[in-house]
Amino acid sequence: INSEEPAEYVALMDERMHHPSKAAQIDAQLKKRFTERSTVLVIDLHFDDPKSLGNEEAVLLLLDSIVRLKSEAARLCEKHCGQPVASMQTRASPCIFALFSASAAAFSAAVDFAAICCASDKGITSYGRCSPSLGLAVGDVLNLGFCNAFGDPINVAFKLGEDVAEPRQLLVHEDVIADIDAHAKRHGQPLSVWDLQPASTQVSGVTLSYKLLTLSVDDPQLKQRSSEIVSANTESAMNTVEMFPKKKEQKKREGIKLVRLVTGGLDRKSRRSSEEEKSPTRNSFFGRLGWRNLRR
């Protein structure tokens, strides 16, 4: 059990382990507390033509590329109201695993990530161009506060994204398609502009039906999507740069006001003692007695 997982979950699992007779009751509590319907996005990172470097240098470049792409994926997930699962996000493995409350948002996040990798310079990392394979599934998931998650939809998404999909392919499970169609009025219909081809495969005796989207580097839609994302990022960065000088100047003014408030609140005795400390004559013995009277 991960120490970052919810304390309530850890306590229930500990109780379940020590009191097997309560297993059914505890399982019902776990399901009620942590089960939710989510759309699962799994992205497996592949790299085309990695540079021929020494083993040590190649490993460092690969790790750098994975971290950068995971950071970009986390930003896109947040943009589409999703969140990466920490158990996979914090590992140095070429895989991204995220949960979304809406299937349309998950699909849009997947396409945005593919657009960045396939149709812009951001996809060309220090290790090589990234060509992701992606899988989407939906259903009931045991979500442990986005620290970890379990459930059949997660297994299906990993099968589609890691085992079935080829590089530059997005496989959308049929349940996701149905979910997007059912909630089109509320969450939009992002499927209509893409050429999704129906397909199916057998995995461990189970038939998985899905729709396949091939992500070509030369796809004009992906290029347009990529340019929009890059443009939005540039505008956001410029707004951030412009905001910092204003904050700095504001803090400077607030600091000046604070100094004036403090010094203005000093009583006369404090001011006099401060002035005497600055004057060597007043601090001397003759100065304290009144040296002018002594001269007379």
Side-chain angles (χ1 to χ4, degrees):
I1 296 177
N2 194 323
S3 60
E4 297 179 357
E5 289 172 351
E8 184 181 355
Y9 167 77
V10 175
L12 286 171
M13 291 301 295
D14 185 66
E15 185 180 359
R16 191 182 193 278
M17 181 175 62
H18 290 91
H19 301 88
S21 60
K22 297 183 179 180
Q25 179 184 353
I26 293 172
D27 289 348
Q29 293 180 29
L30 288 169
K31 184 176 181 180
K32 182 178 179 180
R33 172 65 180 83
F34 296 104
T35 300
E36 61 184 33
R37 185 172 177 82
S38 297
T39 305
V40 185
L41 169 62
V42 171
I43 304 173
D44 199 22
L45 304 177
H46 306 268
F47 294 91
D48 300 341
D49 302 324
K51 297 180 180 178
S52 56
L53 302 168
N55 290 337
E56 184 175 349
E57 187 177 0
V59 168
L60 292 176
L61 290 178
L62 174 60
L63 292 175
D64 176 75
S65 300
I66 291 172
V67 170
R68 289 175 183 273
L69 289 170
K70 282 192 171 187
S71 176
E72 187 66 25
R75 187 189 63 78
L76 290 173
C77 288
E78 182 179 359
K79 173 186 173 184
H80 292 286
C81 302
Q83 186 171 335
V85 177
S87 62
M88 188 64 69
Q89 186 72 7
T90 55
R91 293 181 181 179
S93 60
C95 183
I96 298 162
F97 166 31
L99 302 178
F100 297 80
S101 58
S103 293
F107 179 84
S108 297
V111 171
D112 281 357
F113 186 82
I116 285 179
C117 291
C118 296
S120 78
D121 292 339
K122 279 196 173 185
I124 303 175
T125 68
S126 53
Y127 189 73
R129 177 182 285 277
C130 179
S131 298
S133 57
L134 308 95
L136 281 170
V138 65
D140 290 338
V141 170
L142 190 71
N143 181 6
L144 305 180
F146 295 97
C147 178
N148 211 340
F150 305 93
D152 289 341
I154 295 172
N155 298 332
V156 172
F158 269 96
K159 281 292 183 184
L160 292 176
E162 288 190 329
D163 299 338
V164 182
E166 297 292 332
R168 300 197 189 112
Q169 284 186 348
L170 167 60
L171 306 188
V172 187
H173 191 264
E174 60 180 355
D175 291 344
V176 177
I177 302 293
D179 193 54
I180 292 176
D181 291 337
H183 297 89
K185 291 184 178 180
R186 181 177 180 183
H187 299 298
Q189 176 54 274
L191 303 176
S192 57
V193 297
W194 301 98
D195 183 19
L196 293 164
Q197 299 297 323
S200 63
T201 188
Q202 285 274 343
V203 178
S204 302
V206 178
T207 302
L208 296 178
S209 299
Y210 55 88
K211 288 194 174 182
L212 183 153
L213 174 61
T214 301
L215 308 163
S216 173
V217 176
D218 300 323
D219 190 326
Q221 287 182 316
L222 280 180
K223 287 184 177 181
Q224 180 181 356
R225 194 78 171 249
S226 176
S227 61
E228 291 173 356
I229 295 171
V230 173
S231 176
N233 291 349
T234 303
E235 184 178 352
S236 176
M238 291 178 65
N239 291 337
T240 303
V241 171
E242 291 177 358
M243 180 178 62
F244 279 120
K246 294 180 181 179
K247 285 189 174 182
K248 188 175 180 181
E249 184 64 28
Q250 182 181 358
K251 288 183 178 180
K252 184 177 179 182
R253 290 196 300 268
E254 290 175 354
I256 293 173
K257 289 180 181 180
L258 181 61
V259 170
R260 287 176 178 172
L261 178 63
V262 172
T263 55
L266 293 173
D267 56 17
R268 293 183 178 181
K269 183 177 179 181
S270 300
R271 290 182 182 177
R272 189 182 303 115
S273 62
S274 177
E275 292 174 359
E276 288 174 356
E277 289 177 0
K278 296 179 181 179
S279 173
T281 305
R282 292 184 180 182
N283 286 333
S284 66
F285 174 76
F286 291 107
R288 288 196 296 272
L289 292 178
W291 62 275
R292 291 182 180 176
N293 292 334
L294 290 177
R295 285 185 64 184
R296 293 178 182 176

